[in-house]
Amino acid sequence: MQKFDVLIVGAGMVGLTLALALRKKSQLKIAIVDTNIVTALDDSIDARVSAINVASKNIFDNLGVWSTLKNSRVQNYQHMHVWDKSGLGKLDFSAQDSAIFPHEDNLGWIIENKVIRHALWQQAELDEGIHFFTDNKLASISHGDSEVFATFAHNSSSQESAGQVTPPIIAKLVVGADGANSWVRQQMDIAMIFKDYDHHAIVATVACPQGHKNTAWQVFLPTGPLAFLPLYSKDLHNKNASKDDNNNDLCSIVYSTSPDDAKRLINLETSEFAKALTAASDGKLGDISLKSERFTYPLTMRLAQDFVKDRVVIIGDAAHTIHPLAGQGVNLGLLDAAALAQTLTAKLHDDKADFVNQSDLKAFSRWRKSEATEMIAAMAGIKQAFAVQPAPIQLLRGVGMNMINHFSPIKNRLIAQALGIKADLPELAYQKDSL
């Protein structure tokens, strides 16, 4: 039997961030269970990337991880260019144009998921209060009035005979940070609201000979949005490129389209797929070429009816998933982690007794569910606004976009959303010198 204060199921970006945030603010003893261990980084580029906003960057900085990340494969971007394929509307954002946040040089950073996870994992391994369990998955969790009991599954009888059986874990709180198909959520029978977006996302790495110009590009097509996210490629593709080099030419694409269209695009020959991307992007990035495999997955909105049940909390994709058109899914999960750490440690006494307060956890659930609901509604609104519309509506949409593009107050609010700077952020999401 092994005793811990908090058991985190899932050592992805969100689960690892929670572990580090808890340890920064307390002496709580943390267990993390995940059989998907981190390996050394190689030169292959992960097609799965995240758009990290300023709030998330602040979280990483306050946890001592950003210094590692910024010296790794991180691409900053200062501009966003959005346009409507079916009309004349366009939006151009620049961090330097914001009167509200003139000190921000970047709108965000594009980082491969495996690079973020590697940096977080390395930082967690340095903390003697964080213990990893990577040999076996959990088999069950049961809870009492003051503790949760978790048992491990064992892959073979040979493990038992060799004395490799992992003893059960007793913890005061279990956190499910184990993704959209959360095992923890299923074990606790937490109800979910689902909505099929009727979109599949295609992700891949491409080269754009015009250079990405430190810009995130997004075009709204009749079938859905296509985003080109700038990637850092020094020593990987373009030997002479740097993070601030406008001629850096690698991008990660996220192409959200109907299931039938996604199937068609995935089955195209490589050269034909590249031509389709060039045409869809109006040639703004040059004649695009494909540099990786193509991956596709269905897009579904999920929202847990409650993020807390007894002594179990779910965060990140285990609690909510949203459309990737604004790239806010990971940022929302990182804020969950920072907010939960703040909630658990705010009233913590030296003896660590009773740090699991149901009233505080319910307040956390309302806090984070409210923001997730707001983000889900915003994504639904944007998706609907750019759906196929009659010509007069398309014309009005274009006029509206162009008006916003020249109206600073609204534009500044949109920039603030992109930066992730808003009211009621967890403490870790603010700049270091403001804590």
Side-chain angles (χ1 to χ4, degrees):
M1 200 74 67
Q2 305 171 87
K3 287 195 173 186
F4 293 89
D5 295 305
V6 180
L7 166 59
I8 300 171
V9 183
M13 291 180 280
V14 173
L16 290 167
T17 296
L18 173 62
L20 291 171
L22 286 169
R23 290 293 295 171
K24 178 179 176 63
K25 295 287 188 178
S26 73
Q27 293 299 309
L28 292 173
K29 190 178 178 184
I30 313 297
I32 302 181
V33 176
D34 197 324
T35 56
N36 181 21
I37 63 173
V38 162
T39 56
L41 287 176
D42 56 23
D43 285 349
S44 64
I45 300 175
D46 191 351
R48 299 169 303 168
V49 303
S50 293
I52 297 300
N53 64 21
V54 172
S56 293
K57 176 256 188 184
N58 289 342
I59 292 173
F60 290 150
D61 199 14
N62 285 311
L63 296 178
V65 175
W66 186 249
S67 58
T68 301
L69 284 172
K70 71 179 182 181
N71 291 320
S72 186
R73 292 167 3 204
V74 174
Q75 178 60 54
N76 55 343
Y77 62 96
Q78 295 88 36
H79 314 284
M80 294 178 65
H81 178 63
V82 181
W83 74 102
D84 183 0
K85 183 75 170 179
S86 301
L88 301 175
K90 69 174 184 177
L91 289 168
D92 290 291
F93 301 106
S94 173
Q96 289 77 13
D97 291 341
S98 174
I100 303 175
F101 307 106
H103 59 283
E104 296 295 350
D105 296 326
N106 299 296
L107 289 177
W109 297 262
I110 305 300
I111 315 176
E112 298 160 65
N113 287 1
K114 71 177 183 182
V115 171
I116 299 174
R117 188 167 180 250
H118 185 268
L120 290 166
W121 188 293
Q122 282 189 315
Q123 187 78 356
E125 282 190 320
L126 297 175
D127 192 318
E128 61 182 15
I130 300 175
H131 302 259
F132 286 91
F133 294 84
T134 59
D135 291 335
N136 295 293
K137 296 180 179 180
L138 289 176
S140 66
I141 52 175
S142 56
H143 55 86
D145 292 337
S146 60
E147 292 176 321
V148 182
F149 183 79
T151 60
F152 286 88
H154 300 291
N155 297 328
S156 67
S157 58
S158 61
Q159 282 184 308
E160 297 184 12
S161 61
Q164 297 175 346
V165 175
T166 307
I169 289 176
I170 291 179
K172 295 176 181 176
L173 183 74
V174 172
V175 180
D178 51 342
N181 299 312
S182 170
W183 175 85
V184 172
R185 188 185 68 226
Q186 294 169 21
Q187 290 291 302
M188 295 303 296
D189 197 25
I190 296 175
M192 295 287 288
I193 300 169
F194 293 86
K195 180 177 175 56
D196 187 350
Y197 280 121
D198 196 31
H199 269 178
H200 282 205
I202 300 171
V203 296
T205 303
V206 300
C208 308
Q210 296 290 95
H212 57 58
K213 300 178 173 63
N214 293 349
T215 299
W217 306 75
Q218 186 167 53
V219 53
F220 281 91
L221 306 166
T223 54
L226 166 60
F228 290 83
L229 307 175
L231 283 178
Y232 174 51
S233 57
K234 187 178 181 181
D235 297 326
L236 299 177
H237 171 69
N238 181 351
K239 298 293 184 180
N240 298 315
S242 71
K243 296 176 188 178
D244 298 310
D245 187 347
N246 287 338
N247 294 318
N248 200 338
D249 65 355
L250 281 190
C251 285
S252 176
I253 64 160
V254 183
Y255 196 163
S256 303
T257 186
S258 67
D260 288 343
D261 195 41
K263 183 177 180 181
R264 176 187 69 83
L265 289 164
I266 282 289
N267 290 327
L268 288 177
E269 294 291 333
T270 297
S271 60
E272 292 303 310
F273 180 72
K275 287 179 182 178
L277 293 178
T278 301
S281 59
D282 296 325
K284 292 189 178 187
L285 292 98
D287 292 329
I288 293 164
S289 57
L290 189 63
K291 294 297 178 182
S292 75
E293 292 183 64
R294 287 161 277 179
F295 303 91
T296 184
Y297 55 92
L299 298 177
T300 304
M301 184 281 289
R302 299 176 180 88
L303 180 65
Q305 290 191 1
D306 203 338
F307 293 7
V308 176
K309 187 173 183 180
D310 300 317
R311 287 182 170 264
V312 176
V313 182
I314 54 174
I315 60 175
D317 283 356
H320 45 71
T321 59
I322 63 173
H323 200 288
L325 65 88
Q328 292 300 314
V330 167
N331 296 302
L332 200 60
L334 294 174
L335 288 174
D336 287 350
L340 181 57
Q342 181 174 311
T343 299
L344 293 174
T345 60
K347 301 176 183 177
L348 191 63
H349 301 294
D350 291 339
D351 59 5
K352 298 186 294 188
D354 300 325
F355 75 93
V356 180
N357 181 289
Q358 286 297 323
S359 177
D360 291 342
L361 287 178
K362 291 296 183 182
F364 159 82
S365 181
R366 291 191 298 271
W367 177 13
R368 299 311 305 155
K369 186 178 179 182
S370 174
E371 181 159 356
T373 302
E374 180 182 323
M375 190 68 71
I376 287 169
M379 296 307 99
I382 295 171
K383 182 176 181 292
Q384 182 59 37
F386 285 93
V388 176
Q389 305 281 4
I393 301 299
Q394 289 182 10
L395 177 62
L396 288 174
R397 184 173 66 200
V399 170
M401 288 179 71
N402 289 331
M403 287 179 65
I404 291 172
N405 203 36
H406 293 92
F407 188 57
S408 295
I410 296 179
K411 199 169 180 180
N412 280 332
R413 289 187 64 182
L414 293 174
I415 292 173
Q417 286 288 104
L419 293 171
I421 304 299
K422 59 184 73 175
D424 202 23
L425 285 174
E427 291 177 359
L428 286 175
Y430 292 99
Q431 285 184 336
K432 255 185 176 181
D433 55 10
S434 65
L435 294 180

